[in-house]
Amino acid sequence: LTSLADGSAPLTHEGIDEMAGPQGREFLRELLMHIGLLPHRDKYLAAFATWRHRRLASISEPAIRNEISAYLAWRHMRNLTVRSEAGQLTAAATAAARDQTDAAVRFLGFLSERGLVLVQVRQEDIDDWFATASNPFMAADFISWAIRRRRCRRLKLPSRRYTSSPGCPSARLAEIVARLVTDEEIALGDRVAGLIVVLFAQQV
């Protein structure tokens, strides 16, 4: 407050951004916006924009940085801005955009290790990525965007399959419950824990 009063910090969002202490700083910003001394600014969009600059600065390879810069500008910033203007932007949406961007960086790094840039990616590279990478589908948004924007050739992405366990037959569950209730040779703590697991594991 003193720095705002004596003019050492300008009464702007940029001036508030320079203040230390994120919790107090953001509380002050919300208060100043509420009473009309600062124009409204979407905190999720602003935080993402700040993260965007830091993330790009952390990428040392120019070719990767250029691709990610375009992806952030034309895919995520555009989409998040539209959602913000509609009042529908959430922390979850910006977190998903960050995760997809990080996955895109990993995918481009995977290509770089093979001596390739995005425009040179082949179907075999896509197949290898989805067969070997950790959580490869997180990069699917970037790859699909690159195909639509003709930043690489048309490629086929595998469909994401969701599988579920068939579960334990009800008769077997009943046997397990009966044993946990009656078998005193099992330690009491194990019986209680087992009953909790079995009961919560049942389908609704």
Side-chain angles (χ1 to χ4, degrees), residues 136-175:
F137 280 95
M138 191 60 71
D141 183 81
F142 170 75
I143 300 170
S144 298
W145 171 84
I147 293 169
R148 291 194 305 271
R149 293 285 176 170
R150 299 182 180 179
R151 302 181 77 89
C152 65
R153 67 191 69 183
R154 295 193 65 82
L155 302 159
K156 184 177 180 181
L157 275 61
S159 58
R160 191 165 190 171
R161 296 183 178 88
Y162 295 93
T163 58
S164 60
S165 169
C168 185
S170 57
R172 176 58 180 151
L173 280 175
E175 291 176 8

Side-chain angles (χ1 to χ4, degrees), residues 6 30 36 55 69 103-104 138 189:
D6 64 19
E30 294 284 343
R55 191 65 179 95
S69 178
M138 191 60 71

Side-chain angles (χ1 to χ4, degrees), residues 48 51 55 68 71-72 76 96-105:
F48 186 82
W51 176 87
R55 191 65 179 95
I68 296 300
Y71 176 59
L72 282 168
H76 287 309
R98 289 194 298 270
D99 290 343
Q100 289 170 346
T101 302
D102 288 339
V105 173

Side-chain angles (χ1 to χ4, degrees), residues 59-110:
I59 302 172
S60 58
E61 196 168 331
I64 295 178
R65 185 168 57 249
N66 290 340
E67 293 294 350
I68 296 300
S69 178
Y71 176 59
L72 282 168
W74 298 107
R75 172 68 175 101
H76 287 309
M77 284 302 296
R78 172 181 286 185
N79 179 52
L80 296 177
T81 299
V82 169
R83 296 183 67 170
S84 173
E85 291 172 351
Q88 299 175 345
L89 187 57
T90 63
T94 56
R98 289 194 298 270
D99 290 343
Q100 289 170 346
T101 302
D102 288 339
V105 173
R106 293 195 300 273
F107 173 70
L108 292 172
F110 166 82

